[in-house]
Each structure stands twice: as C-alpha cells, then as structure tokens.
Amino acid sequence: MNATPLPTADEVPAMLAAAIGQMEFARRYTLELLETVPQQRWFETPAGFPAPIAWHVGHLAVSQYGLLLFRIRGRAAEDLELIPSRFRKAYGRGSSPSSDASSQPTPEELLERLAQVNTRAIAVLGETSPEVLLEPVEMPFAAYPVKLGAVLFCPLHEQIHAGHLGLIRRGLELDPIR
C-alpha cells in the first residue's frame, strides 16, 4: 500500500525535470565506468559474479525502453527494430546472462542501442503530458504507482547497475575510477 500522496499535474513538470537530470547523471557515470573497461573484456564474468559487463549494458537498454517508452506510450512499430524480441529475451528481467560474445551484439552495438533508447525516451518524455504521467502503472516504480513512478525508478535502476559495473571492474582487477 502506497501512503505517499500522488503529485498534482502542476507538480509533475518539476518532478519530471528532476528525474531527467538524475537520468543524465546516472548515464554519465555509467558511461564513465564503461569507458574504463577494455571492450574485449566486456564478456568476461569474474568468479563469483552473475553477469558480465555486456549483459548489464543490454539490460539497461531493455529496462529504459520498458520504463520510459513501452510504459509511457505503449509499443510503437519502430520498437521492433529498436528492441527486437531476441534482444528483450537476452537482456530483460529474468534473462540468463551469457559470456558467449559470439552470440551477442558487440560492445559498440550495445552502446549504440543504449544511446538510441535514451534519445527516444527523453524525446517521448518531453512530449508527454502531466496527466498521462499520472496514469496508473504496475511495478516496478518508485514512490508512486503511476507512470511518473516508472520514470522516477529509471535513474535509480541505472545507478544500481552502475554499482554492479563498478564491482565487476574490480573483479576484472581494474583500478577504481573514484
């Protein structure tokens, strides 16, 4: 049960702007971490870790698509190219991470897809009315059980995976960046 009162339509624009700022911060940090891992090591899974770097990048693309595109406006025809079914199955919630580089997109392709999803998602958010963002939504969300709650969850989710990326970097015996 959610005890937090829903924001009003007048409050949504400021909250959305803050969420987008947090998304931008989280993405800069994620990219900073990724830039320090040689791409030939993206498919290595250090002992004791459940997933390689590549899986996290693919997962962030799928989750941002789900939280910010699919949940906000539904599936569009161009989504089948952006996030095809095989990509969702490989990197979505509940997927089994693989270290087999030959069966996956390259690091460059993963980064490109991550950027494409982000660009489209930010554009869609800019076109979405406060009233739409106050429509109910299923989990996962943060703070509010409405579409805005899914938006608020997006940067939190990326920061969780940034933490995983930092740990994987250490498991690969790379020096910390901060």
Side-chain angles (χ1 to χ4, degrees):
M1 174 171 245
N2 188 7
T4 306
L6 289 178
T8 65
D10 290 339
E11 294 171 317
V12 169
M15 295 176 76
L16 179 60
I20 290 172
Q22 291 173 345
M23 282 183 243
E24 291 168 350
F25 171 82
R27 182 55 49 91
R28 281 192 307 272
Y29 185 54
T30 296
L31 293 175
E32 182 181 352
L33 287 165
L34 293 172
E35 289 168 359
T36 64
V37 179
Q39 289 188 350
Q40 66 270 22
R41 300 198 70 191
W42 275 34
F43 296 95
E44 290 180 38
T45 304
F49 289 81
I53 297 280
W55 182 87
H56 287 277
V57 177
H59 178 72
L60 285 171
V62 168
S63 64
Q64 189 175 40
Y65 164 77
L67 290 167
L68 302 183
L69 290 170
F70 180 73
R71 284 174 159 237
I72 302 301
R73 56 130 166 91
R75 193 172 321 279
E78 65 268 13
D79 293 352
L80 296 176
E81 183 178 321
L82 180 64
I83 301 289
S85 176
R86 71 187 186 309
F87 197 86
R88 279 192 324 274
K89 288 177 184 168
Y91 301 110
R93 184 174 25 175
S95 63
S96 297
S98 172
S99 294
D100 179 8
S102 68
S103 67
Q104 298 181 64
T106 65
E108 294 87 0
E109 291 167 334
L110 289 167
L111 286 169
E112 178 60 28
R113 191 162 316 257
L114 187 68
Q116 288 174 352
V117 169
N118 189 63
T119 298
R120 290 187 193 179
I122 298 301
V124 164
L125 289 176
E127 300 165 355
T128 304
S129 73
E131 292 75 23
V132 168
L133 291 174
L134 291 173
E135 293 173 358
V137 72
E138 298 292 322
M139 284 294 277
F141 57 79
Y144 311 106
V146 295
K147 291 179 179 183
L148 178 63
V151 174
L152 295 171
F153 180 65
C154 190
L156 298 173
H157 180 258
E158 183 147 345
Q159 282 296 110
I160 289 167
H161 285 277
H164 291 210
L165 294 170
L167 287 171
I168 295 167
R169 288 181 76 268
R170 297 308 300 273
L172 294 171
E173 299 181 354
L174 299 172
D175 293 331
I177 61 169
R178 292 190 180 194

